[in-house]
Amino acid sequence: MTDYMLDSGHFLVVGGTFIAVVASVLLHYEVSIALSRTMENATNSLRRRFLVLIFGLLGAHIVEIWFFALASWLLLTHPLTGSLTGLESIHFLDHVYLSAVTFSTVGYGDLVPEGAIRFLKGTQGLTGFMLITWSASLTFIEMQRHWEVGKKS
């Protein structure tokens, strides 16, 4: 049995993960509040309001995916944080791709994190799942609210 010791790479990954999660949740909160207020105060067509809502949430998710991709890319410049395997050379957009499939919990498995960086990817999957369900809940609430208003008019 091997002793498992935490090294500076582990602490870097935990810190980087914390920053990416906090940035993503705060961004999602601010975008959700802004979009909800926009829906309440909008006087344009129902179609336009919902397109703003959906594209606003989609944009937030894309930025959140890029937050985690940037964290992964930066963390993996340190030799003790781990590596990605699956390709001969890994470029920044490969980090974005892996971030998207992790965030959405698709997880194709063609790129595999090894070492401490797995903590970032595991936490990202949970964070992505929560933020996606948050968006789905907000969309449902807004649709229900505006459909009820439409029925009364």
Side-chain angles (χ1 to χ4, degrees):
M1 191 160 131
T2 309
D3 287 339
Y4 187 74
M5 305 245 336
L6 293 177
D7 56 30
S8 61
H10 291 90
F11 291 112
L12 284 172
V13 169
V14 170
T17 300
F18 178 78
I19 291 168
V21 168
V22 168
S24 295
V25 170
L26 290 176
L27 172 72
H28 207 81
Y29 173 80
E30 294 299 331
V31 168
S32 295
I33 292 295
L35 290 169
S36 187
R37 287 184 181 146
T38 298
M39 293 289 288
E40 285 177 18
N41 300 326
T43 57
N44 47 5
S45 73
L46 188 60
R47 175 177 292 176
R48 185 166 291 151
R49 285 184 290 206
F50 279 105
L51 288 174
V52 168
L53 175 66
I54 295 302
F55 283 118
L57 291 170
L58 181 62
H61 287 293
I62 290 169
V63 172
E64 292 153 10
I65 286 167
W66 279 70
F67 283 164
F68 279 97
L70 183 61
S72 175
W73 181 68
L74 289 172
L75 286 168
L76 287 176
T77 61
H78 191 284
L80 294 178
T81 58
S83 63
L84 294 180
T85 60
L87 295 175
E88 287 185 29
S89 63
I90 306 291
H91 303 283
F92 181 73
L93 286 179
D94 296 317
H95 287 275
V96 175
Y97 163 77
L98 179 59
S99 183
V101 298
T102 303
F103 189 90
S104 63
T105 69
V106 172
Y108 291 122
D110 52 346
L111 285 175
V112 179
E114 294 180 353
I117 199 71
R118 294 179 301 165
F119 179 77
L120 172 76
K121 294 302 173 184
T123 305
Q124 181 186 3
L126 176 61
T127 304
F129 178 74
M130 292 179 68
L131 296 180
I132 290 168
T133 56
W134 182 356
S135 294
S137 297
L138 176 62
T139 302
F140 175 77
I141 289 167
E142 292 299 333
M143 291 177 87
Q144 192 173 38
R145 178 182 304 152
H146 290 282
W147 280 341
E148 290 300 318
V149 169
K151 286 181 184 177
K152 292 177 185 176
S153 318

PDB file of all heavy atoms in Angstrom, residues 40-65:
ATOM      1  N   GLU A  40     -39.378  40.133 -16.469  1.00  0.00           N
ATOM      2  CA  GLU A  40     -40.462  40.823 -15.749  1.00  0.00           C
ATOM      3  C   GLU A  40     -40.808  42.161 -16.379  1.00  0.00           C
ATOM      4  O   GLU A  40     -41.977  42.533 -16.443  1.00  0.00           O
ATOM      5  CB  GLU A  40     -40.066  41.063 -14.291  1.00  0.00           C
ATOM      6  CG  GLU A  40     -40.102  39.851 -13.419  1.00  0.00           C
ATOM      7  CD  GLU A  40     -39.637  40.148 -12.001  1.00  0.00           C
ATOM      8  OE1 GLU A  40     -39.605  41.339 -11.602  1.00  0.00           O
ATOM      9  OE2 GLU A  40     -39.307  39.186 -11.297  1.00  0.00           O
ATOM     10  N   ASN A  41     -39.793  42.893 -16.824  1.00  0.00           N
ATOM     11  CA  ASN A  41     -39.997  44.259 -17.301  1.00  0.00           C
ATOM     12  C   ASN A  41     -40.145  44.375 -18.809  1.00  0.00           C
ATOM     13  O   ASN A  41     -40.392  45.470 -19.311  1.00  0.00           O
ATOM     14  CB  ASN A  41     -38.837  45.147 -16.842  1.00  0.00           C
ATOM     15  CG  ASN A  41     -38.716  45.177 -15.334  1.00  0.00           C
ATOM     16  OD1 ASN A  41     -39.706  45.125 -14.626  1.00  0.00           O
ATOM     17  ND2 ASN A  41     -37.497  45.241 -14.840  1.00  0.00           N
ATOM     18  N   ALA A  42     -39.993  43.286 -19.531  1.00  0.00           N
ATOM     19  CA  ALA A  42     -40.021  43.339 -20.997  1.00  0.00           C
ATOM     20  C   ALA A  42     -41.432  43.590 -21.507  1.00  0.00           C
ATOM     21  O   ALA A  42     -42.400  43.058 -20.981  1.00  0.00           O
ATOM     22  CB  ALA A  42     -39.476  42.044 -21.580  1.00  0.00           C
ATOM     23  N   THR A  43     -41.493  44.431 -22.531  1.00  0.00           N
ATOM     24  CA  THR A  43     -42.783  44.708 -23.157  1.00  0.00           C
ATOM     25  C   THR A  43     -42.842  44.140 -24.574  1.00  0.00           C
ATOM     26  O   THR A  43     -43.871  44.233 -25.223  1.00  0.00           O
ATOM     27  CB  THR A  43     -43.039  46.230 -23.203  1.00  0.00           C
ATOM     28  OG1 THR A  43     -41.963  46.850 -23.912  1.00  0.00           O
ATOM     29  CG2 THR A  43     -43.137  46.798 -21.801  1.00  0.00           C
ATOM     30  N   ASN A  44     -41.740  43.570 -25.033  1.00  0.00           N
ATOM     31  CA  ASN A  44     -41.722  43.020 -26.390  1.00  0.00           C
ATOM     32  C   ASN A  44     -42.371  41.633 -26.408  1.00  0.00           C
ATOM     33  O   ASN A  44     -42.855  41.137 -25.398  1.00  0.00           O
ATOM     34  CB  ASN A  44     -40.289  43.003 -26.956  1.00  0.00           C
ATOM     35  CG  ASN A  44     -39.286  42.436 -25.987  1.00  0.00           C
ATOM     36  OD1 ASN A  44     -39.639  41.966 -24.917  1.00  0.00           O
ATOM     37  ND2 ASN A  44     -38.025  42.495 -26.349  1.00  0.00           N
ATOM     38  N   SER A  45     -42.370  41.011 -27.549  1.00  0.00           N
ATOM     39  CA  SER A  45     -43.096  39.755 -27.734  1.00  0.00           C
ATOM     40  C   SER A  45     -42.556  38.646 -26.823  1.00  0.00           C
ATOM     41  O   SER A  45     -41.399  38.661 -26.412  1.00  0.00           O
ATOM     42  CB  SER A  45     -42.991  39.305 -29.191  1.00  0.00           C
ATOM     43  OG  SER A  45     -41.694  38.815 -29.467  1.00  0.00           O
ATOM     44  N   LEU A  46     -43.424  37.693 -26.536  1.00  0.00           N
ATOM     45  CA  LEU A  46     -43.062  36.546 -25.719  1.00  0.00           C
ATOM     46  C   LEU A  46     -41.906  35.789 -26.359  1.00  0.00           C
ATOM     47  O   LEU A  46     -40.977  35.362 -25.672  1.00  0.00           O
ATOM     48  CB  LEU A  46     -44.279  35.631 -25.543  1.00  0.00           C
ATOM     49  CG  LEU A  46     -44.129  34.488 -24.560  1.00  0.00           C
ATOM     50  CD1 LEU A  46     -43.829  35.005 -23.162  1.00  0.00           C
ATOM     51  CD2 LEU A  46     -45.401  33.639 -24.540  1.00  0.00           C
ATOM     52  N   ARG A  47     -41.946  35.651 -27.671  1.00  0.00           N
ATOM     53  CA  ARG A  47     -40.864  34.969 -28.393  1.00  0.00           C
ATOM     54  C   ARG A  47     -39.529  35.656 -28.146  1.00  0.00           C
ATOM     55  O   ARG A  47     -38.539  35.010 -27.830  1.00  0.00           O
ATOM     56  CB  ARG A  47     -41.164  34.935 -29.879  1.00  0.00           C
ATOM     57  CG  ARG A  47     -40.008  34.353 -30.693  1.00  0.00           C
ATOM     58  CD  ARG A  47     -40.357  34.279 -32.125  1.00  0.00           C
ATOM     59  NE  ARG A  47     -41.408  33.278 -32.242  1.00  0.00           N
ATOM     60  CZ  ARG A  47     -42.035  32.975 -33.362  1.00  0.00           C
ATOM     61  NH1 ARG A  47     -41.726  33.588 -34.471  1.00  0.00           N
ATOM     62  NH2 ARG A  47     -42.966  32.062 -33.393  1.00  0.00           N
ATOM     63  N   ARG A  48     -39.495  36.962 -28.274  1.00  0.00           N
ATOM     64  CA  ARG A  48     -38.247  37.709 -28.083  1.00  0.00           C
ATOM     65  C   ARG A  48     -37.756  37.588 -26.646  1.00  0.00           C
ATOM     66  O   ARG A  48     -36.562  37.412 -26.395  1.00  0.00           O
ATOM     67  CB  ARG A  48     -38.443  39.169 -28.466  1.00  0.00           C
ATOM     68  CG  ARG A  48     -37.139  39.935 -28.406  1.00  0.00           C
ATOM     69  CD  ARG A  48     -37.208  41.269 -29.084  1.00  0.00           C
ATOM     70  NE  ARG A  48     -37.321  41.037 -30.525  1.00  0.00           N
ATOM     71  CZ  ARG A  48     -37.936  41.850 -31.371  1.00  0.00           C
ATOM     72  NH1 ARG A  48     -38.496  42.946 -30.936  1.00  0.00           N
ATOM     73  NH2 ARG A  48     -37.987  41.577 -32.649  1.00  0.00           N
ATOM     74  N   ARG A  49     -38.669  37.653 -25.682  1.00  0.00           N
ATOM     75  CA  ARG A  49     -38.275  37.538 -24.272  1.00  0.00           C
ATOM     76  C   ARG A  49     -37.623  36.190 -23.998  1.00  0.00           C
ATOM     77  O   ARG A  49     -36.599  36.108 -23.330  1.00  0.00           O
ATOM     78  CB  ARG A  49     -39.476  37.724 -23.352  1.00  0.00           C
ATOM     79  CG  ARG A  49     -39.911  39.166 -23.254  1.00  0.00           C
ATOM     80  CD  ARG A  49     -41.013  39.320 -22.267  1.00  0.00           C
ATOM     81  NE  ARG A  49     -42.224  38.702 -22.809  1.00  0.00           N
ATOM     82  CZ  ARG A  49     -43.452  39.043 -22.486  1.00  0.00           C
ATOM     83  NH1 ARG A  49     -43.652  39.980 -21.601  1.00  0.00           N
ATOM     84  NH2 ARG A  49     -44.482  38.447 -23.020  1.00  0.00           N
ATOM     85  N   PHE A  50     -38.229  35.113 -24.523  1.00  0.00           N
ATOM     86  CA  PHE A  50     -37.666  33.787 -24.260  1.00  0.00           C
ATOM     87  C   PHE A  50     -36.380  33.541 -25.023  1.00  0.00           C
ATOM     88  O   PHE A  50     -35.494  32.831 -24.542  1.00  0.00           O
ATOM     89  CB  PHE A  50     -38.695  32.686 -24.511  1.00  0.00           C
ATOM     90  CG  PHE A  50     -39.621  32.529 -23.346  1.00  0.00           C
ATOM     91  CD1 PHE A  50     -40.919  32.994 -23.411  1.00  0.00           C
ATOM     92  CD2 PHE A  50     -39.169  31.981 -22.166  1.00  0.00           C
ATOM     93  CE1 PHE A  50     -41.757  32.883 -22.321  1.00  0.00           C
ATOM     94  CE2 PHE A  50     -39.998  31.874 -21.066  1.00  0.00           C
ATOM     95  CZ  PHE A  50     -41.304  32.323 -21.137  1.00  0.00           C
ATOM     96  N   LEU A  51     -36.245  34.128 -26.193  1.00  0.00           N
ATOM     97  CA  LEU A  51     -34.967  34.013 -26.901  1.00  0.00           C
ATOM     98  C   LEU A  51     -33.854  34.708 -26.121  1.00  0.00           C
ATOM     99  O   LEU A  51     -32.731  34.194 -26.025  1.00  0.00           O
ATOM    100  CB  LEU A  51     -35.084  34.576 -28.316  1.00  0.00           C
ATOM    101  CG  LEU A  51     -35.892  33.725 -29.296  1.00  0.00           C
ATOM    102  CD1 LEU A  51     -36.052  34.462 -30.626  1.00  0.00           C
ATOM    103  CD2 LEU A  51     -35.254  32.363 -29.494  1.00  0.00           C
ATOM    104  N   VAL A  52     -34.162  35.867 -25.537  1.00  0.00           N
ATOM    105  CA  VAL A  52     -33.180  36.562 -24.698  1.00  0.00           C
ATOM    106  C   VAL A  52     -32.815  35.683 -23.500  1.00  0.00           C
ATOM    107  O   VAL A  52     -31.638  35.538 -23.152  1.00  0.00           O
ATOM    108  CB  VAL A  52     -33.712  37.939 -24.243  1.00  0.00           C
ATOM    109  CG1 VAL A  52     -32.850  38.538 -23.137  1.00  0.00           C
ATOM    110  CG2 VAL A  52     -33.801  38.880 -25.432  1.00  0.00           C
ATOM    111  N   LEU A  53     -33.809  35.088 -22.875  1.00  0.00           N
ATOM    112  CA  LEU A  53     -33.571  34.218 -21.720  1.00  0.00           C
ATOM    113  C   LEU A  53     -32.674  33.034 -22.097  1.00  0.00           C
ATOM    114  O   LEU A  53     -31.650  32.787 -21.453  1.00  0.00           O
ATOM    115  CB  LEU A  53     -34.898  33.710 -21.149  1.00  0.00           C
ATOM    116  CG  LEU A  53     -34.797  32.698 -20.004  1.00  0.00           C
ATOM    117  CD1 LEU A  53     -34.190  33.347 -18.764  1.00  0.00           C
ATOM    118  CD2 LEU A  53     -36.156  32.096 -19.704  1.00  0.00           C
ATOM    119  N   ILE A  54     -33.045  32.320 -23.145  1.00  0.00           N
ATOM    120  CA  ILE A  54     -32.298  31.117 -23.525  1.00  0.00           C
ATOM    121  C   ILE A  54     -30.889  31.459 -23.987  1.00  0.00           C
ATOM    122  O   ILE A  54     -29.921  30.816 -23.565  1.00  0.00           O
ATOM    123  CB  ILE A  54     -33.062  30.324 -24.606  1.00  0.00           C
ATOM    124  CG1 ILE A  54     -34.380  29.785 -24.036  1.00  0.00           C
ATOM    125  CG2 ILE A  54     -32.207  29.201 -25.163  1.00  0.00           C
ATOM    126  CD1 ILE A  54     -34.228  28.892 -22.817  1.00  0.00           C
ATOM    127  N   PHE A  55     -30.744  32.471 -24.835  1.00  0.00           N
ATOM    128  CA  PHE A  55     -29.400  32.810 -25.299  1.00  0.00           C
ATOM    129  C   PHE A  55     -28.558  33.423 -24.174  1.00  0.00           C
ATOM    130  O   PHE A  55     -27.339  33.235 -24.133  1.00  0.00           O
ATOM    131  CB  PHE A  55     -29.452  33.727 -26.522  1.00  0.00           C
ATOM    132  CG  PHE A  55     -29.797  32.990 -27.778  1.00  0.00           C
ATOM    133  CD1 PHE A  55     -30.946  33.289 -28.485  1.00  0.00           C
ATOM    134  CD2 PHE A  55     -28.982  31.971 -28.255  1.00  0.00           C
ATOM    135  CE1 PHE A  55     -31.271  32.604 -29.651  1.00  0.00           C
ATOM    136  CE2 PHE A  55     -29.292  31.271 -29.409  1.00  0.00           C
ATOM    137  CZ  PHE A  55     -30.439  31.588 -30.108  1.00  0.00           C
ATOM    138  N   GLY A  56     -29.191  34.120 -23.255  1.00  0.00           N
ATOM    139  CA  GLY A  56     -28.461  34.643 -22.094  1.00  0.00           C
ATOM    140  C   GLY A  56     -27.923  33.526 -21.220  1.00  0.00           C
ATOM    141  O   GLY A  56     -26.757  33.544 -20.801  1.00  0.00           O
ATOM    142  N   LEU A  57     -28.762  32.525 -20.946  1.00  0.00           N
ATOM    143  CA  LEU A  57     -28.314  31.380 -20.149  1.00  0.00           C
ATOM    144  C   LEU A  57     -27.259  30.566 -20.885  1.00  0.00           C
ATOM    145  O   LEU A  57     -26.269  30.128 -20.283  1.00  0.00           O
ATOM    146  CB  LEU A  57     -29.507  30.497 -19.769  1.00  0.00           C
ATOM    147  CG  LEU A  57     -30.481  31.115 -18.766  1.00  0.00           C
ATOM    148  CD1 LEU A  57     -31.735  30.261 -18.649  1.00  0.00           C
ATOM    149  CD2 LEU A  57     -29.812  31.298 -17.408  1.00  0.00           C
ATOM    150  N   LEU A  58     -27.457  30.380 -22.183  1.00  0.00           N
ATOM    151  CA  LEU A  58     -26.464  29.644 -22.978  1.00  0.00           C
ATOM    152  C   LEU A  58     -25.122  30.376 -22.959  1.00  0.00           C
ATOM    153  O   LEU A  58     -24.068  29.752 -22.770  1.00  0.00           O
ATOM    154  CB  LEU A  58     -26.963  29.466 -24.415  1.00  0.00           C
ATOM    155  CG  LEU A  58     -26.039  28.705 -25.359  1.00  0.00           C
ATOM    156  CD1 LEU A  58     -25.820  27.284 -24.887  1.00  0.00           C
ATOM    157  CD2 LEU A  58     -26.628  28.709 -26.769  1.00  0.00           C
ATOM    158  N   GLY A  59     -25.160  31.682 -23.114  1.00  0.00           N
ATOM    159  CA  GLY A  59     -23.929  32.469 -23.048  1.00  0.00           C
ATOM    160  C   GLY A  59     -23.233  32.333 -21.700  1.00  0.00           C
ATOM    161  O   GLY A  59     -22.006  32.210 -21.634  1.00  0.00           O
ATOM    162  N   ALA A  60     -24.017  32.335 -20.622  1.00  0.00           N
ATOM    163  CA  ALA A  60     -23.435  32.164 -19.286  1.00  0.00           C
ATOM    164  C   ALA A  60     -22.755  30.804 -19.178  1.00  0.00           C
ATOM    165  O   ALA A  60     -21.629  30.699 -18.671  1.00  0.00           O
ATOM    166  CB  ALA A  60     -24.512  32.318 -18.213  1.00  0.00           C
ATOM    167  N   HIS A  61     -23.413  29.768 -19.665  1.00  0.00           N
ATOM    168  CA  HIS A  61     -22.818  28.425 -19.610  1.00  0.00           C
ATOM    169  C   HIS A  61     -21.525  28.350 -20.417  1.00  0.00           C
ATOM    170  O   HIS A  61     -20.552  27.721 -19.978  1.00  0.00           O
ATOM    171  CB  HIS A  61     -23.801  27.360 -20.103  1.00  0.00           C
ATOM    172  CG  HIS A  61     -24.905  27.079 -19.140  1.00  0.00           C
ATOM    173  ND1 HIS A  61     -24.701  26.492 -17.913  1.00  0.00           N
ATOM    174  CD2 HIS A  61     -26.232  27.319 -19.213  1.00  0.00           C
ATOM    175  CE1 HIS A  61     -25.846  26.375 -17.276  1.00  0.00           C
ATOM    176  NE2 HIS A  61     -26.804  26.881 -18.043  1.00  0.00           N
ATOM    177  N   ILE A  62     -21.498  28.989 -21.560  1.00  0.00           N
ATOM    178  CA  ILE A  62     -20.282  28.981 -22.386  1.00  0.00           C
ATOM    179  C   ILE A  62     -19.138  29.671 -21.654  1.00  0.00           C
ATOM    180  O   ILE A  62     -18.008  29.160 -21.621  1.00  0.00           O
ATOM    181  CB  ILE A  62     -20.555  29.610 -23.764  1.00  0.00           C
ATOM    182  CG1 ILE A  62     -21.452  28.671 -24.585  1.00  0.00           C
ATOM    183  CG2 ILE A  62     -19.257  29.911 -24.500  1.00  0.00           C
ATOM    184  CD1 ILE A  62     -22.012  29.275 -25.855  1.00  0.00           C
ATOM    185  N   VAL A  63     -19.413  30.804 -21.030  1.00  0.00           N
ATOM    186  CA  VAL A  63     -18.368  31.504 -20.271  1.00  0.00           C
ATOM    187  C   VAL A  63     -17.906  30.633 -19.103  1.00  0.00           C
ATOM    188  O   VAL A  63     -16.703  30.537 -18.819  1.00  0.00           O
ATOM    189  CB  VAL A  63     -18.856  32.888 -19.794  1.00  0.00           C
ATOM    190  CG1 VAL A  63     -17.860  33.526 -18.838  1.00  0.00           C
ATOM    191  CG2 VAL A  63     -19.120  33.794 -20.991  1.00  0.00           C
ATOM    192  N   GLU A  64     -18.826  29.973 -18.429  1.00  0.00           N
ATOM    193  CA  GLU A  64     -18.466  29.097 -17.307  1.00  0.00           C
ATOM    194  C   GLU A  64     -17.588  27.933 -17.779  1.00  0.00           C
ATOM    195  O   GLU A  64     -16.610  27.564 -17.099  1.00  0.00           O
ATOM    196  CB  GLU A  64     -19.742  28.586 -16.633  1.00  0.00           C
ATOM    197  CG  GLU A  64     -20.507  29.687 -15.937  1.00  0.00           C
ATOM    198  CD  GLU A  64     -22.003  29.466 -15.811  1.00  0.00           C
ATOM    199  OE1 GLU A  64     -22.483  28.349 -16.104  1.00  0.00           O
ATOM    200  OE2 GLU A  64     -22.698  30.429 -15.417  1.00  0.00           O
ATOM    201  N   ILE A  65     -17.905  27.375 -18.923  1.00  0.00           N
ATOM    202  CA  ILE A  65     -17.078  26.312 -19.507  1.00  0.00           C
ATOM    203  C   ILE A  65     -15.669  26.835 -19.762  1.00  0.00           C
ATOM    204  O   ILE A  65     -14.674  26.160 -19.475  1.00  0.00           O
ATOM    205  CB  ILE A  65     -17.740  25.774 -20.789  1.00  0.00           C
ATOM    206  CG1 ILE A  65     -18.942  24.900 -20.423  1.00  0.00           C
ATOM    207  CG2 ILE A  65     -16.740  25.009 -21.661  1.00  0.00           C
ATOM    208  CD1 ILE A  65     -19.859  24.565 -21.586  1.00  0.00           C
TER     209      ILE A  65
END
